Amino acid sequence: MSENKKIALVTGASRGIGAAIAETLACDGYDIWLNYRSDHEAAQRVAEKVTACGRQCLLLPFDVADEEAVEGALSELLAEETPYILINNAGFARDGIMALMSRYDWQSVLNVHLDGFFLVTKLVVARMLRKRAGRIVNIVSTSGQTGVAGQVNYSAAKAGLIGATRSLAAEVAKRKILVNAVAPGFIETEMTADLPVDKILPTIPLARFGQAQEVADAVSFLCSDKATYITGQILAVNGGIV
Ligand code: NAP
């Protein structure tokens, strides 16, 4: 593996989809810069799995939506090394019907998905441009592709991220940086733990929730040498729901 292919930065990787992505990319041969916000013990458990794959893991706790925190955590590191891979995965939902949605629930969801993408990617892509190499994968959602009642804030954020994926892909293609998105449907994680499974299953052609590993495998493919002519695309991992 060439020198500039060594590191993958994964945001929101202390559990769920991000943890599966970090572990999978480690087994693909990348050292991991593992971001999360607050759950140190969970992040430590992921780090142990990364090291079990023979790779190094650097824990980077910061809020992706906090500009000072992002710059504080990444600026010095990026002066020394440039990740070949960036996975923008950190996120959460604050569901509720529009008529009752607080300004806080609207803004915090846009902040984590859109500001978080902007703040982290701006720093990393500047380094990738100099290296003329890189892969960026944004984790979006079925909710950003179709409408979902009760998720006006989350759908707006994920649809925005889909637009940003396509525009950034066009902007950096000449420097050999490929930018794509993966759009999961219903995946078994803490985020979906309280959903009414019985009502949802009949809407999924494959009749089951997906596993975080199935999303991680799609990300691994998009970051691999098997995906050198794919950019600006949204790859759905949703059991056929869209
Ligand atoms: P999850 O199990 O709730 O994990 C979320 C992760 O993001 C945690 O590691 C959490 O860290 C981190 N995080 C949250 N806010 C953060 C912030 N401001 N800064 C840094 N890290 C932050 O969620 P998940 O289900 O794996 O979802 C991961 C991504 O997939 C999200 O973008 C989500 O929108 C998307 N997605 C999920 C599904 C699904 O069905 N699960 C479907 C479509 C899309 P801490 O615990 O340390 O705060």
Side-chain angles (χ1 to χ4, degrees):
M1 186 168 289
S2 66
E3 189 56 27
N4 68 354
K5 279 197 173 186
K6 228 179 54 177
I7 299 164
L9 166 56
V10 187
T11 70
S14 60
R15 61 172 188 267
I17 292 169
I21 292 170
E23 291 160 24
T24 301
L25 292 178
C27 293
D28 288 347
Y30 292 90
D31 290 342
I32 303 298
W33 289 1
L34 192 153
N35 160 258
Y36 58 103
R37 188 175 40 175
S38 55
D39 194 342
H40 304 294
E41 283 179 18
Q44 192 56 50
R45 285 194 293 275
V46 181
E48 282 164 18
K49 292 193 179 159
V50 168
T51 49
C53 272
R55 307 310 308 183
Q56 293 178 351
C57 188
L58 179 64
L59 296 183
L60 294 173
F62 62 84
D63 179 345
V64 294
D66 178 337
E67 186 164 9
E68 260 183 49
V70 173
E71 288 186 358
L74 292 181
S75 292
E76 277 186 28
L77 285 174
L78 289 170
E80 298 294 322
E81 293 183 290
T82 302
Y84 178 70
I85 295 172
L86 166 62
I87 312 297
N88 287 301
N89 167 80
F92 52 73
R94 294 280 178 274
D95 294 354
I97 61 169
M98 175 86 184
L100 298 177
M101 187 176 288
S102 67
R103 176 69 191 266
Y104 177 80
D105 282 351
W106 167 257
Q107 199 64 56
S108 63
V109 168
L110 292 190
N111 285 351
V112 70
H113 295 284
L114 290 178
D115 294 35
F117 156 80
F118 172 78
L119 294 170
V120 175
T121 306
K122 181 176 154 70
L123 290 184
V124 175
V125 82
R127 303 295 306 178
M128 288 178 169
L129 286 166
R130 288 189 203 170
K131 293 272 183 188
R132 296 176 179 267
R135 302 286 173 96
I136 298 172
V137 179
N138 300 320
I139 307 303
V140 295
S141 170
T142 303
S143 186
Q145 298 176 298
T146 68
V148 176
Q151 289 201 316
V152 169
N153 50 357
Y154 186 76
S155 296
K158 292 301 197 184
L161 197 47
I162 287 171
T165 300
R166 293 190 171 122
S167 290
L168 185 61
E171 201 170 295
V172 299
K174 280 192 180 147
R175 297 283 182 106
K176 298 193 172 68
I177 301 163
L178 309 187
V179 186
N180 291 289
V182 167
F186 291 99
I187 308 298
E188 268 184 39
T189 67
E190 277 186 35
M191 186 182 268
T192 54
D194 297 331
L195 294 181
V197 178
D198 292 352
K199 281 190 186 160
I200 292 168
L201 284 186
T203 69
I204 307 173
L206 285 181
R208 64 173 177 86
F209 277 29
Q211 299 299 312
Q213 187 60 50
E214 293 175 296
V215 180
D217 287 340
V219 171
S220 168
F221 164 69
L222 287 172
C223 294
S224 77
D225 288 343
K226 293 182 178 173
T228 48
Y229 201 53
I230 302 175
T231 196
Q233 303 305 309
I234 316 304
L235 175 54
V237 181
N238 61 21
I241 205 166
V242 178

